[in-house]
Amino acid sequence: MTKSSTKTRPNSATDDPFLWLEDRTGKETLDWVHRQNEITVDELQGDPSYQTYFQTALDLMTAEDNIAVGSALNRHVYNFWQDKTNVLGLWRRTAVASYKTEKPDWQTIIDFDSLSAKEGVKWVFSGANRLYPDFSRCLLSLSPDGGDASEMREFDIDSKSFVEGGFCAPASKSSFNWLDKDTVIVSAAFEEDEKTQSGYPRIVKLWQRGTRLEDATPIFEAQKQDLAAGGSLEFDGDKRHLLLSRTLDFFASHSFLRLPSGENRRIPLPEDVTDTVLFRDQLVFGVRSPWTAPDGTLCKPDGLYSLDFVGWIETNALGPVETVLAPADRVSIAGIARTRDRLFISLMDNVRGKVVACDRSGSGWSLHPVALPENGSVGISHAERFGSSVSFSFTDFLTPSSIIWSDDNAATLATVKSQPARFDASSLVSEQFEARSKDGTKIPYFVVRRRDQDGPVPTLLYGYGGFEVPLLPGYAGVRGQLWLEKGNAYVQANIRGGGEFGPNWHQAALKANRQNAFDDFVAVAQDLVKRGIAAPPTLGIQGGSNGGLLTGVSLTQHPELFGAVIIDVPLLDMLRYTELPPGASWMAEYGDPAKPEEAAWLAAYSPYQHVEPDTAYPPVLLTTSTADDRVHPGHARKMAARLQAAGHAKTLFFEETEGGHGGRGDRRPQAAQAAMKYVFLQRALTGVA
């Protein structure tokens, strides 16, 4: 690649000609957004295939026979549901026995379309914290635009109405949990002095019914430079514990127990503790790096351990540490959950799922595999903390999702929901291969393609590689109909930085080692070409958020390898990402551009600073959302403007006005974006749609 000039590599805000595009809702900025959207809509929605693609995507996203995924609580199964009629969705519930039938008798709790029409705000459901023990009262979270900031209101489920004079708080990134029926634990982020530098809650307060929110009593504080503070009431049988947390960054935290005396006593575990849960007086935990407990037990990553939590409360001394699950090669912990009487561990074994059930008796821990389907993605769909119901999900690239249910702690299992097939998979095969990265590390990846493929075909390579997040096999009807059924291939890369093989796999691409993730992705692309699955002109790539950074770097470092690039809700200006809230929260992942040494490694790959005017880039589509309050839309805007200013005319940009980072809310804009992306790929990689 040709080296760029100083003019094309701004090193400070004063050198950046597109800094004005960081103004989220400024008139000049939004005028630019609207002009860009018009061009992209004309180009992609004007394609003859678009309307069919859009209708297919919308039909699949809103199909009446989609699985109603639910969680059980106090004899009911709760579900959030969207279809063509209920655009913003219904929060509803049914009896457990009814849920298992083909046509459950759902009772609507809240109709968000009706609520939005009544109040003139397109409310997006953001969750509800329900009050123990009857769970009829809840603290309801409502986002006005699909972003992370939400309004809170107290709601009565039995009467299906907001509580007059009840708890209520304006939209913010605060969080709310019940302490008791007259007290709410508020993790506050309303005023500037209540926020961390990342914009998340810094102070935890207790808010008494009938008093003003601003008069709530502070009980805990984090530091301004921390990521967040939080508080919640945790149950272990009949015992209740008020736990507080000071989250230092994404991977380090201090946890505290609030004692009846008012003391906040720190739980003496390492900062990088993970996968914690209270179960039968034991605190179960994992670690991200080796830790030797006071009794000499060596706790290793990818294992689970426990200590006597009640004994620690009584004596303030950490007793013996027991091993719940020993580490194993290429096996990592995907998550843990508990019912009242059993603990469940979700595992990934070479990126394939399994679940282990754990029991606790006087003699220690006993583990038993749960008899679930193999060689696919198995997850814990729900576990009833105050009961004995638990459900599991199963899927793979070619197998529609199903829900496997148990009312007796997984002693007996029954498949209660199965999604119908959305595409013809009879001619397709799912395979797992390995590529060798630049440093010799073997990188697994999955390929879904026609069994009789002979020669390169249009191929979509998807990746993420960050924040310990694994990419697992999963069924997608839209991808099946709009991509695979057309004879194209889909590839999912399990690169370093993700969580597929535990903390070490993630840490291998942290901070100064970030280039490893990018090299892994390129290695997979090169391996696809070597195997004849794709050729550079037929290979497209896609990633969102951190994955958008991945595809942005791939574009600027190896434009010759790809025929199309989709960059969704991305980070791209890594020299200014901490200036765009809440970017400061990710410094543990990427590094701090305010520190010269760390700025150097960020500058080495930051896509925005590496756009070259004299390099042949493939067609690019960047997407974002005005309402995205997690990754600022300025990243995608500036990158599109810079590419276009450098003469790269095949750069398209589209910004949705609502939906936030995850595109929540109305499914029609989601279907439209999906359709545009597949039109873009088909045109770029084949020349036709």
Side-chain angles (χ1 to χ4, degrees):
M1 293 175 60
T2 305
K3 292 183 178 179
S4 62
S5 64
T6 303
K7 183 178 179 181
T8 63
R9 294 197 183 191
N11 292 315
S12 67
T14 56
D15 299 326
D16 188 349
F18 302 111
L19 193 68
W20 56 279
L21 287 171
E22 294 180 1
D23 185 351
R24 184 187 298 273
T25 57
K27 183 181 183 306
E28 184 181 8
T29 299
L30 292 183
D31 286 346
W32 179 89
V33 167
H34 294 149
R35 290 194 299 271
Q36 292 287 327
N37 282 358
E38 287 176 4
I39 293 170
T40 301
V41 166
D42 287 347
E43 179 77 15
L44 299 180
Q45 295 192 14
D47 188 279
S49 296
Y50 168 78
Q51 193 58 41
T52 300
Y53 280 31
F54 167 73
Q55 196 60 53
T56 298
L58 183 61
D59 288 347
L60 290 170
M61 290 179 180
T62 59
E64 294 285 348
D65 57 0
N66 282 336
I67 290 180
V69 178
S71 59
L73 185 63
N74 199 27
R75 303 182 303 279
H76 287 94
V77 174
Y78 290 80
N79 163 259
F80 178 69
W81 179 259
Q82 290 174 280
D83 55 30
K84 290 179 182 176
T85 303
N86 304 289
V87 175
L88 293 174
L90 305 172
W91 189 36
R92 58 188 189 171
R93 71 179 183 179
T94 188
V96 172
S98 177
Y99 177 75
K100 298 177 186 178
T101 65
E102 186 175 344
K103 293 184 178 180
D105 180 20
W106 291 105
Q107 298 177 341
T108 298
I109 301 171
I110 299 180
D111 181 330
F112 286 96
D113 293 278
S114 296
L115 178 66
S116 297
K118 177 182 177 181
E119 299 190 354
V121 178
K122 293 183 71 174
W123 292 115
V124 175
F125 181 47
S126 298
N129 184 271
R130 279 155 284 185
L131 176 62
Y132 177 88
D134 59 12
F135 307 106
S136 62
R137 287 287 179 98
C138 66
L139 303 173
L140 190 74
S141 293
L142 304 162
S143 170
D145 56 11
D148 290 347
S150 296
E151 182 176 305
M152 185 279 287
R153 303 184 201 173
E154 186 177 0
F155 188 85
D156 186 278
I157 294 174
D158 290 339
S159 66
K160 302 177 184 177
S161 62
F162 292 106
V163 176
E164 186 175 352
F167 291 106
C168 184
S172 73
K173 289 189 177 182
S174 306
S175 64
F176 306 86
N177 291 280
W178 291 106
L179 181 63
D180 56 48
K181 64 183 178 63
D182 292 318
T183 314
V184 170
I185 307 163
V186 183
S187 302
F190 298 102
E191 306 298 330
E192 280 307 309
D193 66 345
E194 295 176 333
K195 300 176 184 178
T196 64
Q197 64 179 347
S198 300
Y200 292 110
R202 190 183 68 82
I203 300 176
V204 180
K205 305 178 180 183
L206 296 183
W207 182 15
Q208 299 296 324
R209 185 179 298 279
T211 65
R212 300 187 309 165
L213 174 58
E214 50 266 41
D215 294 333
T217 304
I219 61 169
F220 185 75
E221 293 189 13
Q223 300 299 313
K224 191 72 175 179
Q225 69 272 17
D226 293 341
L227 175 57
S232 63
L233 187 66
E234 298 296 325
F235 291 82
D236 185 13
D238 295 327
K239 298 183 179 70
R240 308 184 192 193
H241 304 285
L242 176 50
L243 298 182
L244 303 164
S245 63
R246 176 190 169 198
T247 304
L248 308 181
D249 56 46
F250 258 88
F251 315 109
S253 63
H254 296 169
S255 294
F256 298 80
L257 173 70
R258 187 166 180 83
L259 300 174
S261 64
E263 175 193 353
N264 298 327
R265 184 197 291 175
R266 185 180 168 189
I267 301 171
L269 289 174
E271 289 185 349
D272 65 353
V273 69
T274 184
D275 296 315
T276 58
V277 67
L278 290 173
F279 180 72
R280 296 255 173 133
D281 295 339
Q282 295 282 306
L283 175 59
V284 178
F285 65 95
V287 291
R288 291 186 171 93
S289 57
W291 176 66
T292 301
D295 70 342
T297 301
L298 177 60
C299 302
K300 301 178 181 179
D302 299 320
L304 275 181
Y305 305 89
S306 76
L307 58 87
D308 183 350
F309 191 65
V310 172
W312 170 75
I313 294 173
E314 294 173 348
T315 65
N316 198 18
L318 209 60
V321 170
E322 300 178 37
T323 298
V324 181
L325 177 77
D329 185 48
R330 293 183 80 82
V331 176
S332 61
I333 298 166
I336 55 178
R338 57 157 299 176
T339 59
R340 180 183 293 274
D341 298 313
R342 182 166 271 188
L343 182 70
F344 295 90
I345 308 172
S346 178
L347 299 172
M348 289 177 292
D349 188 345
N350 200 25
V351 205
R352 289 175 169 84
K354 59 177 61 175
V355 176
V356 175
C358 308
D359 293 303
R360 173 78 184 173
S361 64
S363 58
W365 293 95
S366 59
L367 278 62
H368 320 277
V370 179
L372 296 167
E374 298 180 349
N375 298 319
S377 291
V378 176
I380 303 168
S381 187
H382 97 280
E384 188 178 7
R385 198 176 187 101
F386 304 98
S388 57
S389 75
V390 59
S391 63
F392 309 93
S393 60
F394 177 80
T395 186
D396 60 35
F397 290 114
L398 302 178
T399 304
S401 301
S402 60
I403 299 294
I404 302 166
W405 191 277
S406 173
D407 288 318
D408 54 10
N409 292 308
T412 58
L413 300 164
T415 300
V416 297
K417 303 289 177 186
S418 295
Q419 182 173 296
R422 300 305 194 195
F423 58 92
D424 181 5
S426 60
S427 63
L428 301 174
V429 62
S430 174
E431 303 164 288
Q432 189 179 34
F433 298 111
E434 285 186 334
R436 191 173 293 276
S437 193
K438 185 176 181 179
D439 64 359
T441 302
K442 292 181 179 180
I443 310 301
Y445 66 93
F446 291 97
V447 177
V448 186
R449 56 173 173 163
R450 287 186 62 88
R451 188 176 285 103
D452 61 357
Q453 179 184 341
D454 183 18
V457 299
T459 300
L460 174 59
L461 168 59
Y462 188 87
Y464 185 77
F467 295 94
E468 289 187 344
V469 175
L471 288 185
L472 305 176
Y475 191 84
V478 174
R479 181 174 66 223
Q481 284 201 32
L482 299 187
W483 190 248
L484 294 172
E485 279 192 347
K486 298 181 181 298
N488 304 323
Y490 174 76
V491 180
Q492 196 161 281
N494 300 118
I495 63 177
R496 284 174 288 181
E500 288 86 351
F501 299 109
N504 290 338
W505 194 251
H506 167 244
Q507 292 161 13
L510 270 184
K511 293 188 174 181
N513 295 321
R514 199 73 190 180
Q515 186 62 42
N516 284 336
F518 309 140
D519 291 343
D520 293 353
F521 197 63
V522 166
V524 172
Q526 293 170 331
D527 202 57
L528 290 169
V529 173
K530 181 180 178 181
R531 293 179 187 273
I533 295 170
T538 73
L539 181 56
I541 56 175
Q542 181 181 7
S545 192
N546 173 76
L549 171 62
L550 171 68
T551 51
V553 172
S554 299
L555 169 72
T556 54
Q557 291 188 353
H558 291 279
E560 76 286 351
L561 269 179
F562 310 110
V565 177
I566 297 178
I567 303 173
D568 293 323
V569 290
L571 290 86
L572 293 167
D573 185 350
M574 299 307 291
L575 297 183
R576 274 188 57 77
Y577 84 92
T578 55
E579 303 300 318
L580 301 175
S585 64
W586 310 318
M587 287 191 290
E589 181 81 10
Y590 302 118
D592 183 356
K595 298 177 180 178
E597 178 186 357
E598 299 182 13
W601 75 57
L602 289 164
Y605 69 76
S606 181
Y608 182 61
Q609 282 75 24
H610 285 272
V611 172
E612 306 278 2
D614 49 1
T615 296
Y617 292 117
V620 182
L621 172 62
L622 296 107
T623 71
T624 188
S625 168
T626 312
D628 191 343
D629 52 2
R630 198 177 311 169
V631 177
H632 197 286
H635 286 278
R637 293 170 179 173
K638 295 200 308 178
M639 186 71 171
R642 193 163 197 84
L643 283 163
Q644 292 169 356
H648 304 297
K650 294 182 179 180
T651 299
L652 295 174
F653 172 90
F654 184 80
E655 181 170 320
E656 192 54 73
T657 57
E658 58 188 42
H661 189 63
R664 299 185 304 160
D666 192 338
R667 293 298 180 91
R668 290 169 297 190
Q670 299 172 38
Q673 277 210 38
M676 286 194 292
K677 289 169 187 176
Y678 282 113
V679 167
F680 170 78
L681 287 169
Q682 201 75 21
R683 288 165 61 126
L685 302 182
T686 68
V688 295

